[in-house]
Amino acid sequence: AALGTRSTWSALLRRPTHVPGLRKLAQKAGMANRSPVRLPPGLAPLVPPDAGPAMPAAAPLTWRGRVAYTAAYAYICAHVGGLLANQSESLVALETYDVVIAKELFVPSDDEKLEKCLDVLARGLPLSTLLREKVVNTDSVLQKLIELCQSAPTVKARHHAAKAIDTTCALPLARRALVDDNLHEQIVAIVRDPTALLFVRKALYSVLTQLASGAARGAEAGDAQAC
């Protein structure tokens, strides 16, 4: 009955409703939110003392920058693609030399296949020293290439044969083989022949120039056999 009186309700409303210690916890939480965390003594921040101001954000590419970036990317792609293509050409020539190319030079099945084999050989020789050595060490291949410079059935086949000889003669072993087998005399005869193709004569003239340069170097070194 006493709880129902007005004085009793007034006394309950005036009674503090907080739990002891709760106010202190709330004050600590508020201070932690408002103030930064302090490092313990002796612990320096992870920032170098001579660090300058923060780097500004990169500016967006202009149309000139976009064009330069695209051109550089295209150049790199083309360069890498060219290297891979050259490597594949030399590998194809090496893999097919003994089985197809060397046989096709002496017993051609048809004019188109002979021209294709000479093309593959001419493309692969500048890229592979091993292929040039194969040409020199295979019996009568150099002589047959010289003959094909005039007897090949197509103009392109003659061009490829002359180019193959010119490239092979970059190897000292090839130059010595030409001199030892007196094949340089046939080359001189073709160069002097006015009926021979102009490209063939220029390529074989380059061969003679390489032979003369090699002989001169051998003479200076005191080696009569060097070419």
Side-chain angles (χ1 to χ4, degrees), residues 89-90 92-98 100-105 113-128 130-136 138 141-142 144-145 148 157 159-165 167-168:
E89 287 179 354
S90 62
V92 168
L94 280 171
E95 292 176 355
T96 59
Y97 178 78
D98 295 325
V100 180
I101 296 178
K103 296 180 180 180
E104 194 68 24
L105 294 180
K113 190 171 183 179
L114 174 62
E115 180 182 323
K116 180 63 177 178
C117 289
L118 288 172
D119 184 20
V120 172
L121 182 63
R123 290 176 181 272
L125 283 171
L127 308 171
S128 175
L130 179 59
L131 183 60
R132 279 176 272 181
E133 293 177 351
K134 277 181 169 290
V135 171
V136 176
T138 306
V141 170
L142 281 176
K144 188 61 179 179
L145 288 174
L148 289 174
H159 285 188
H160 298 325
K163 183 180 178 182
I165 298 172
T167 306
T168 305

Side-chain angles (χ1 to χ4, degrees), residues 37-49:
V37 178
R38 297 181 180 180
L39 295 175
L43 184 60
L46 300 177
V47 179

Side-chain angles (χ1 to χ4, degrees), residues 170-209:
L171 199 66
L173 181 64
R175 297 195 295 267
R176 182 173 298 180
L178 287 176
V179 175
D180 292 344
D181 296 339
N182 293 325
L183 297 178
H184 62 288
E185 296 179 356
Q186 299 181 27
I187 295 175
V188 172
I190 296 175
V191 171
R192 291 179 175 178
D193 187 1
T195 61
L197 295 175
L198 182 60
F199 179 87
V200 172
R201 296 172 66 186
K202 287 183 177 180
L204 295 184
Y205 183 81
S206 175
V207 173
L208 295 178
T209 303

Side-chain angles (χ1 to χ4, degrees), residues 53-65:
M55 295 296 294
L61 287 176
T62 61
W63 68 271
R64 293 179 182 273

